Amino acid sequence: MYFELKENRPHGTPENPFSQYHIRDVKRAFQIPVHWHDELEIIYVKRGKLHVTISGENYIGNPKEAFVVSPGSLHFMGSPTGEVDYYTFLFPLEYISFQTDDLMEKMILSPLKRGRLMIKPQINDIAEDICERLIEINDQIPELNRKTMENRKNRDIRDIKEIRKNVENTKNDQSHNIIVTNINSQFETKITLIKFIQKMWQRGLILENDANGTNTIEKEMITYIRQNYTKEISLREFGSQFHLSEKYISRYFKEHFHITLSQYI
């Protein structure tokens, strides 16, 4: 699965694997490097235009529009000017699974996790309310005390008894209120994400994933470059690796990655 391209950055914490990122006012052209990860990702544009590429397909996102990156899909995004304001929400599908053998798990969540189903990448503005609600919920979560956060990152809370014990031990502290607020926010976040999956299903946007291999050549190209970047890579040599002419592979690379081969190297 082209592990060289897998994003190694950890998202969330063991206590809360949901992550929200806000990118804005970069003030210069930028492009997030091509990568994939195990989490499902929702990309939501607040302002400006965002260029998004998912599994080799190019899109331009306008305000209030959203995109969905299914687990394992190769993708990247950027702006030629930096004048864009957008959010990304990442979470493992296990986060909203009840781990029961019910219809929703068998017919929707499990196939999404395994890649047999996918959510249509371009969903326009139909998830605006969902995305705005996620922002509202998670912007209100107070940051945990740095020391408390570090202590919790370095250990696993293995069962509910330990969580209850932690709550009992901090009832007279401000941290108790923080814990309670974070738990309530997790409830609201999970409810909102389940509503998102429901909305995608009701709108017919959960599809059979017959495109599992469509970005294989792009993955192979980036993997080849990363394995050979220490030596000079000519267009002729690069093209021969994929049985393509110099002219065609140059155009293909530019169309799919929005930069030239020499710029990427």
Side-chain angles (χ1 to χ4, degrees):
M1 181 41 145
Y2 305 93
F3 288 103
E4 297 90 343
L5 305 182
K6 185 174 184 181
E7 185 177 53
N8 293 319
R9 178 183 182 180
H11 299 293
T13 66
E15 290 184 350
N16 186 10
F18 174 87
S19 297
Q20 172 179 294
Y21 301 104
H22 187 193
I23 298 88
R24 60 180 173 178
D25 299 326
V26 179
K27 302 300 184 185
R28 59 177 173 77
F30 73 93
Q31 180 170 301
I32 306 298
V34 59
H35 64 284
W36 65 272
H37 42 64
D38 294 322
E39 296 87 356
L40 186 142
E41 180 175 3
I42 304 169
I43 303 166
Y44 176 60
V45 183
K46 287 282 287 185
R47 175 177 55 81
K49 290 184 181 293
L50 182 69
H51 293 248
V52 181
T53 297
I54 304 172
S55 295
E57 296 294 327
N58 301 319
Y59 309 96
I60 295 180
N62 296 301
K64 301 183 180 180
E65 293 183 342
F67 301 89
V68 181
V69 181
S70 294
S73 294
L74 197 66
H75 63 286
F76 60 95
M77 65 208 78
S79 166
T81 64
E83 299 294 330
V84 66
D85 183 341
Y86 71 98
Y87 285 83
T88 63
F89 313 101
L90 290 93
F91 62 97
L93 283 161
E94 291 83 357
Y95 182 63
I96 57 172
S97 171
F98 293 98
Q99 304 299 318
T100 57
D101 198 24
D102 55 25
L103 279 175
M104 186 174 75
E105 181 69 30
K106 288 194 295 185
M107 298 187 69
I108 299 177
L109 293 180
S110 182
L112 281 172
K113 284 184 285 187
R114 296 179 182 179
R116 294 203 301 267
L117 293 179
M118 61 175 286
I119 298 174
K120 185 179 179 182
Q122 187 175 31
I123 58 174
N124 298 322
D125 62 354
I126 66 173
E128 178 191 0
D129 58 334
I130 298 287
C131 294
E132 290 291 347
R133 178 60 181 146
L134 288 171
I135 294 169
E136 179 185 14
I137 295 166
N138 289 280
D139 278 353
Q140 292 176 354
I141 299 176
E143 291 188 6
L144 291 172
N145 175 272
R146 182 182 296 274
K147 183 177 179 181
T148 302
M149 197 64 168
E150 288 302 317
N151 288 339
R152 293 186 178 196
K153 282 183 179 179
N154 294 329
R155 63 181 176 81
D156 291 327
I157 294 181
R158 301 191 179 279
D159 54 45
I160 194 66
K161 289 183 180 179
E162 188 170 348
I163 294 176
R164 288 173 176 166
K165 182 179 177 181
N166 288 337
V167 173
E168 288 297 323
N169 289 339
T170 58
K171 273 190 174 179
N172 296 322
D173 300 330
Q174 183 182 8
S175 57
H176 168 66
N177 293 330
I178 294 175
I179 291 172
V180 170
T181 300
N182 276 270
I183 290 174
N184 284 332
S185 296
Q186 283 192 34
F187 272 120
E188 293 298 324
T189 297
K190 290 189 176 190
I191 289 168
T192 304
L193 292 174
I194 289 173
K195 287 181 177 178
F196 170 75
I197 299 295
Q198 180 188 28
K199 194 169 195 177
M200 297 301 99
W201 177 70
Q202 290 174 336
R203 296 293 186 96
L205 297 174
I206 296 181
L207 314 170
E208 292 287 337
N209 190 1
D210 57 359
N212 266 337
T214 57
N215 54 205
T216 298
I217 189 169
E218 286 87 4
K219 289 180 178 179
E220 290 178 349
M221 285 179 176
I222 300 302
T223 298
Y224 177 83
I225 293 170
R226 292 191 178 186
Q227 290 174 343
N228 297 276
Y229 75 94
T230 55
K231 62 181 183 180
E232 184 176 350
I233 302 175
S234 68
L235 269 178
R236 176 178 294 181
E237 176 190 358
F238 190 59
S240 67
Q241 291 294 321
F242 303 97
H243 309 288
L244 300 172
S245 70
E246 293 179 49
K247 184 177 180 180
Y248 181 81
I249 201 165
S250 176
R251 185 172 70 248
Y252 185 95
F253 197 92
K254 175 70 173 177
E255 287 176 354
H256 285 78
F257 298 107
H258 304 303
I259 55 176
T260 66
L261 175 62
S262 60
Q263 287 173 327
Y264 185 86
I265 295 173

